Structures are given as C-alpha cells and as structure tokens.
Amino acid sequence: MGHSQRRRRRASGPSQITATLAIPFVGEISGTWQPADAERSAAWELYLELVTRVSVEELDPEEGFLREALSSLYTFFNTTREILRRYGPDVAPPLAPGHVSFGVLAVTVLNRVLRPLLASWHPRLTAYESQRPEECDPVAWERGWEHAPALRAQLAEVRRTLVSLARTLQEVAGVSDLIDLPAPRSPGLGPIGAPPPGVSEGP
C-alpha cells in the first residue's frame, strides 16, 4: 500500500498552471506550465529547500545577518543546480512558445536573479568583513557598513522572486503552504495540542 500510495501522491497536482516570475529590475517571465511527474518531484524538492532557508525570510533592519542571508542564497544556488542535474532532461523538455518548465524557471532564477546578486555583493561584503577589528562584534560591524541598506533592499527584491517561485512550486507539487505557517502561540494561551500546564515542551 505504502509504495503505490506514494506514487499516486507524487503524481498529483494540476495538469497545467500559469507560472509568473518577477525578475528584479528586469521584468517578469510567464507562461503555461504542464508539469511532468519528474517536474512535480523536482518542484517539491526545490520548494522544501526554499521554505527551510533564510532565503524566504524577511530581514528586518535590526534583525538578521547579511552574511547568513548571502550564504543561504549561495547554498540554494548550488542545491538548485544539483536538483537540475539529478532529474536531468525530463525537467527541461523542448517547449512551444509561451510555455515554461521547471528547468526554465530554475535556471532563470539562478542566472538572472541569484548570480548577479552574489557576484556583486559577496566580494564587497567579504572585503568589508576583512577590515573588522578583532574586538568588534561581527553583527555590529556588519550593521555599521554603509552599503548594508542597499544590500538589504536587493535581498528584499530577490526574496520577492523566491517567494513567487515557491508559490508556483507549491502549486505544481500539490502541497500545502509551508511559508506562511501560523506562529506558535505561547503555552499560557492554551493552543490546541499544547502540553498541559506544568508539562515541559522539551529542551
């Protein structure tokens, strides 16, 4: 039962969607996506990578660490290439005009969104970090960088693209929303499933 159920589950999802992806400072690409099973599986894997990274988290001016955000995007870049390589040509079939595929969307995000950001900002941030005095806290030093607001603004633009990609992947994979999860409520408010008063929730 388990295996056939898993096979059926993986193949579920819409037979066709309209995919739209905003590209910062460039415009947008859109088209009809008729996903094959391999694309649904790849979509789930990439969706999971997106929702478990700093990539789709908003960075408030007084929170977050720019280095961590850039490192997360760099890792996501490499993971996306691995997923493309693993699934092979099945996720990038020849397409009629006005159509897109997993391969088209993923490579567009890599080459038009992530690569320019990382190529521009990684060396600049690294150069600034190398000037940090030993006694200065890395986070405080980073927040004192004159270019930090500009990088935050570009990260916010990239985040919007990644969230729109995640929404498209979610639809194709036929899975629930794992981005806007409800925030846990404090035990004092007695949410459903909370332990009784006096019972520890764990370490």
Side-chain angles (χ1 to χ4, degrees):
M1 180 188 91
H3 287 295
S4 64
Q5 208 172 37
R6 274 202 296 275
R7 271 199 300 275
R8 281 201 304 274
R9 181 70 192 87
R10 190 177 297 132
S12 70
S15 59
Q16 176 177 305
I17 70 164
T18 299
T20 304
L21 203 57
I23 309 298
F25 317 112
V26 174
E28 67 175 31
I29 63 164
S30 65
T32 301
W33 185 3
Q34 296 171 305
D37 284 353
E39 291 180 280
R40 294 183 202 284
S41 298
W44 162 247
E45 286 195 31
L46 197 58
Y47 179 59
L48 193 60
E49 287 295 324
L50 276 167
V51 300
T52 55
R53 291 192 176 283
V54 180
S55 321
V56 294
E57 294 289 326
E58 283 194 73
L59 276 181
D60 293 328
E62 296 307 315
E63 294 176 358
F65 193 29
L66 295 175
R67 167 54 62 201
E68 185 182 13
L70 280 186
S71 297
S72 177
L73 291 175
Y74 186 81
T75 307
F76 177 72
F77 187 98
N78 289 332
T79 301
T80 303
R81 286 199 307 190
E82 286 168 17
I83 291 171
L84 285 163
R85 193 177 292 123
R86 184 161 67 251
Y87 283 95
D90 286 349
V91 298
L95 298 169
H99 285 66
V100 296
S101 64
F102 177 89
V104 166
L105 295 175
V107 171
T108 298
V109 167
L110 292 187
N111 290 342
R112 305 293 292 277
V113 181
L114 297 184
R115 190 189 299 280
L117 178 87
L118 293 169
S120 170
W121 286 101
H122 176 75
R124 293 165 73 180
L125 181 56
T126 301
Y128 176 71
E129 287 168 334
S130 70
Q131 299 165 15
R132 178 177 64 87
E134 270 187 43
E135 66 277 6
C136 186
D137 173 70
V139 176
W141 179 252
E142 183 183 276
R143 289 191 182 145
W145 190 31
E146 62 175 326
H147 299 296
L151 175 51
R152 281 181 182 276
Q154 288 210 12
L155 285 169
E157 288 291 331
V158 167
R159 177 187 175 275
R160 279 191 274 278
T161 299
L162 294 180
V163 169
S164 71
L165 173 63
R167 296 289 180 216
T168 299
L169 296 174
Q170 174 194 339
E171 189 177 352
V172 163
V175 295
S176 62
D177 182 356
L178 300 179
I179 299 174
D180 292 323
L181 295 173
R185 298 171 63 192
S186 78
L189 297 176
I192 296 170
V199 176
S200 169
E201 288 189 79

